[in-house]
Amino acid sequence: MTRIVGIAASPRHGNTEILVKEALRAAQELSETIAVELVTFAGKRIEPCTDCGACVRNKTYCWKQDDWWELIKPLVEPVPAGVIIGTPVYFFSTPSLLRAYFERCTCLFKQLWHADFPFSPPDWTRTAAGTVAVGFHRHGGVEHALSSVHHVLLTNGFVCVGGDYIGGGAWQLEEDSLDAVLKDRIGIAAARLVGERVGTTALLLQGGRPSAKG
Ligand SMILES: Cc1cc2nc3c(=O)[nH]c(=O)nc-3n(C[C@H](O)[C@H](O)[C@H](O)COP(=O)(O)O)c2cc1C
């Protein structure tokens, strides 16, 4: 199966989750061989990286006792064929929760700088990645949030795909509810396009994966 993981990086079950589910649904509709999973940050606690160095000293992944490992595991064990990151817009960018989630990934890569670190970095170079985002206002920073996530994905080797421009940008039409994004017809279509692009690229990348013998 071609596994695609959707990450809804909002602290609540709301508009971001709806958008990610739409994108996942569009990916799944491409092929019966695509299996989708949703990971949500709602109710979860993620501490930021404090550069304490405990991972290197103790030769472990990050020791902090919160929900980060549970939330990152679907992107690591095993590495998926595709990922769709969904974020709400906070102050023209992404929420601190999502930044913290990404920052903590630094412990996954410690072998690059410390040869005796026991875990190899995840190989995300054959994982298709797309982004969806939702804000309250039409021009509240959704494109900046999308591009901020893309920068992190590119930094970590993912194969980034766009959709409508660089991702699935949506807004709440200034209606204060958990599902207002459903009324944003253009935003929902943009999220679905991201799902299709991630699904198509994931299938292509899987097809091109060299066999064990190379
Ligand atoms: C702390 C905070 C900052 C926000 N900043 C912005 C912003 O800069 N631009 C914007 O359009 N919406 C902003 N919003 C609104 C959210 O982006 C919007 O309500 C989003 O749909 C929430 O997604 P959710 O329903 O999945 O939680 C902010 C919300 C919060 C809580």
Side-chain angles (χ1 to χ4, degrees), residues 10 12 14-17 88-92 134-137 140 172:
S10 168
R12 55 186 203 165
N15 296 284
T16 307
E17 207 169 286
V89 181
Y90 280 13
F91 290 101
F92 221 75
V134 51
F136 188 79
H137 297 105
Q172 281 183 222

Side-chain angles (χ1 to χ4, degrees), residues 7 14 30 38 41 56 60 64 74 101 112 118 131 138 152 167-169 178 191 197:
I7 308 279
L30 289 173
L38 177 74
F41 286 6
V56 172
T60 62
K64 290 191 175 186
Y101 180 73
L112 296 178
T131 305
R138 186 204 289 269
V152 176
L178 287 167
R197 293 286 306 278

Side-chain angles (χ1 to χ4, degrees), residues 135-214:
F136 188 79
H137 297 105
R138 186 204 289 269
H139 299 121
V142 73
E143 283 157 323
H144 187 265
L146 289 168
S147 107
S148 166
V149 174
H150 270 293
H151 289 168
V152 176
L153 294 170
L154 286 166
T155 300
N156 288 296
F158 287 93
V159 181
C160 285
V161 301
D164 187 16
Y165 289 90
I166 65 161
W171 65 307
Q172 281 183 222
L173 297 89
E174 298 185 355
E175 179 186 304
D176 190 10
S177 76
L178 287 167
D179 64 356
V181 73
L182 284 170
K183 292 186 186 158
D184 178 13
R185 184 179 51 80
I186 294 171
I188 295 288
R192 289 186 58 83
L193 190 55
V194 169
E196 286 168 21
R197 293 286 306 278
V198 169
T200 307
T201 309
L203 289 168
L204 283 169
L205 290 168
Q206 291 267 295
R209 193 183 289 273
S211 69
K213 289 179 184 160

